[in-house]
């Protein structure tokens, strides 16, 4: 039986900068005997709101495993050329949320749990534009989803991504779970420099992503108050621009300014954990 880590034709490894997709990358390299073939591309899409440790981890995986990783960022629409992307690297990657803020300026409203366009606009589509720019017409993308995420894996399999792309979750196909991912990284001589909490990386993806639970956001602000400033500014900008209800990341909980104040004044935590686990951005 073929390994789920072998592509049938041109392949793309979508590396989120998390431990799960990092293990997926390593297992795919191993399946090919230590070197990825020329028609397999590894991509990391940077929103500009990742923790520095995530950027270091992406760099380290590439350097230590000897695999080129293409760093992609979204760029604003150009009147003549349409939607654009940029290829960056560890040194030039955005770190102040620039691609994300540009997207807000373009859309005139903020993403929210109902209209969560940031994943598609900042990660999926820029990556697709890059792949087409290097001549790919049809390809299979490996996504870092595990066997303990059956609902997400089922959704991945049932969605239509157009005739150019098929998405697969080889870790799930191989029956690998969060425990396997933790064990894998415990055995490596380097790791993502963010806490591993029973397999969850609370600090992963965009630092204060609106899909993270309220208590989690408060805790992340208390740990490093400056994390809140960009999110506060985006909501202020959207309100100034007259975005109305579209000027908040979440309407069902306090603004980022209010959560910042709450965190700084040791206010009460939310009575419930309102994390929305349906984030399209994988670990
Ligand atoms: S991590 Fe959250 S805020 Fe960032 S792109 Fe994904 S859904 Fe959007």
């Amino acid at each position: 039986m073929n390994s789920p880590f072998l592509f049938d034709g041109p392949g793309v490894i979508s590396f989120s900068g998390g431990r799960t997709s990092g293990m997926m990358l390593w297992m795919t390299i191993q399946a090919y005997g230590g070197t990825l073939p020329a028609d397999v591309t590894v991509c990391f899409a940077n929103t500009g709101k990742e923790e520095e440790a995530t950027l270091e981890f992406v760099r380290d995986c590439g350097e230590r495993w000897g695999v080129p990783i293409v760093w992609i960022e979204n760029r604003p629409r150009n009147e003549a050329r349409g939607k654009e992307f940029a290829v960056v690297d560890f040194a030039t990657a955005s770190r102040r949320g620039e691609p994300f803020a540009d997207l807000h300026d373009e859309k005139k409203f903020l993403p929210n749990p109902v209209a969560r366009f940031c994943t598609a606009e900042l990660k999926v589509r820029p990556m697709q534009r890059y792949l087409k720019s290097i001549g790919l017409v049809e390809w299979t993308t490996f996504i870092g989803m595990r066997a303990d995420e059956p609902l997400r894996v089922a959704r991945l399999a049932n969605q239509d991504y157009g005739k150019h792309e098929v998405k697969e979750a080889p870790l799930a196909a191989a029956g690998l779970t969060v425990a396997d991912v933790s064990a894998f990284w415990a055995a490596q001589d380097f790791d993502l420099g963010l806490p591993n909490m029973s397999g969850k990386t609370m600090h992963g993806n965009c630092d204060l992503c609106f899909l993270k639970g309220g208590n989690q956001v408060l805790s992340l602000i208390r740990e490093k108050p400056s994390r809140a400033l960009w999110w506060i500014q985006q909501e202020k900008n959207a309100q100034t621009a007259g975005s109305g209800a579209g000027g908040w990341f979440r309407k069902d909980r306090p603004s980022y300014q209010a959560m910042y104040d709450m965190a700084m004044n040791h206010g009460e935590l939310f009575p419930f954990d309102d994390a929305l686990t349906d984030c399209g951005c994988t670990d």
Side-chain angles (χ1 to χ4, degrees):
M1 189 180 139
N2 276 346
S3 163
F5 295 94
L6 292 173
F7 289 102
D8 182 14
V12 176
I13 299 170
S14 177
F15 182 22
S16 72
R19 290 186 176 92
T20 297
S21 57
M23 179 182 178
M24 176 180 74
L25 171 58
W26 187 86
M27 296 211 55
T28 308
I29 296 170
Q30 301 317 302
Y32 281 100
T35 308
L36 293 177
D39 65 351
V40 173
T41 306
V42 186
C43 283
F44 164 67
N46 180 41
T47 66
K49 285 305 295 164
E50 300 279 354
E51 293 285 335
E52 185 67 17
T54 296
L55 305 184
E56 291 169 353
F57 182 62
V58 174
R59 175 200 62 193
D60 292 350
C61 287
E63 288 180 1
R64 284 170 178 260
W65 296 341
V67 58
I69 297 174
V70 185
W71 295 46
I72 307 288
E73 289 184 1
N74 190 50
R75 288 292 180 268
R77 175 180 294 279
N78 177 288
E79 277 308 314
R81 296 186 297 270
K83 294 287 285 179
E84 299 209 281
F85 65 88
V87 176
V88 298
D89 57 23
F90 177 76
T92 59
S94 299
R95 286 166 166 83
R96 293 191 298 276
E98 299 93 325
F100 210 151
D102 287 342
L103 183 64
H104 295 165
D105 290 345
E106 192 174 299
K107 293 268 187 191
K108 308 292 181 216
F109 66 97
L110 301 175
N112 58 64
V114 179
R116 199 193 60 223
F117 54 80
C118 42
T119 308
E121 296 286 347
L122 295 172
K123 298 187 176 186
V124 179
R125 290 190 186 132
M127 218 181 272
Q128 289 172 343
R129 288 196 284 277
Y130 168 73
L131 295 167
K132 288 179 180 171
S133 80
I134 60 169
L136 286 194
V137 178
E138 291 182 10
W139 65 87
T140 298
T141 302
F142 281 177
I143 304 288
M145 290 183 186
R146 305 174 306 259
D148 55 292
E149 302 175 295
L151 292 179
R152 301 183 78 198
V153 174
R155 263 200 304 274
L156 186 79
N158 293 330
Q159 269 181 34
D160 180 6
Y161 302 98
K163 63 178 178 1
H164 63 282
E165 188 175 16
V166 171
K167 295 194 184 189
E168 294 178 358
L171 291 168
L176 296 169
T177 67
V178 67
D180 296 304
V181 174
S182 293
F184 168 78
W185 284 107
Q188 303 305 307
D189 59 2
F190 76 107
D191 193 2
L192 172 61
L194 296 173
N196 185 349
M197 296 162 165
S198 306
K200 289 195 188 310
T201 307
M202 187 172 89
H203 299 67
N205 287 313
C206 297
D207 54 5
L208 298 187
C209 169
F210 51 88
L211 299 177
K212 292 181 180 178
N215 289 329
Q216 194 175 337
V217 170
L218 288 187
S219 159
L220 288 164
I221 295 173
R222 283 202 186 102
E223 184 183 84
K224 185 177 170 189
S226 61
R227 281 194 181 111
L229 302 181
W230 182 90
W231 300 87
I232 291 170
Q233 192 61 49
Q234 298 312 304
E235 289 191 328
K236 276 188 182 155
N237 291 350
Q239 292 304 313
T240 306
S243 303
W248 308 106
F249 287 105
R250 291 275 292 257
K251 282 186 287 182
D252 59 342
R253 73 182 186 198
S255 67
Y256 278 86
Q257 178 69 62
M259 288 197 286
Y260 175 85
D261 295 341
M262 203 180 291
M264 292 299 93
N265 294 321
H266 305 286
E268 287 189 12
L269 296 179
F270 291 89
F272 55 90
D273 184 3
D274 60 345
L276 299 175
T277 54
D278 196 21
C279 177
C281 299
T282 56
D283 183 15

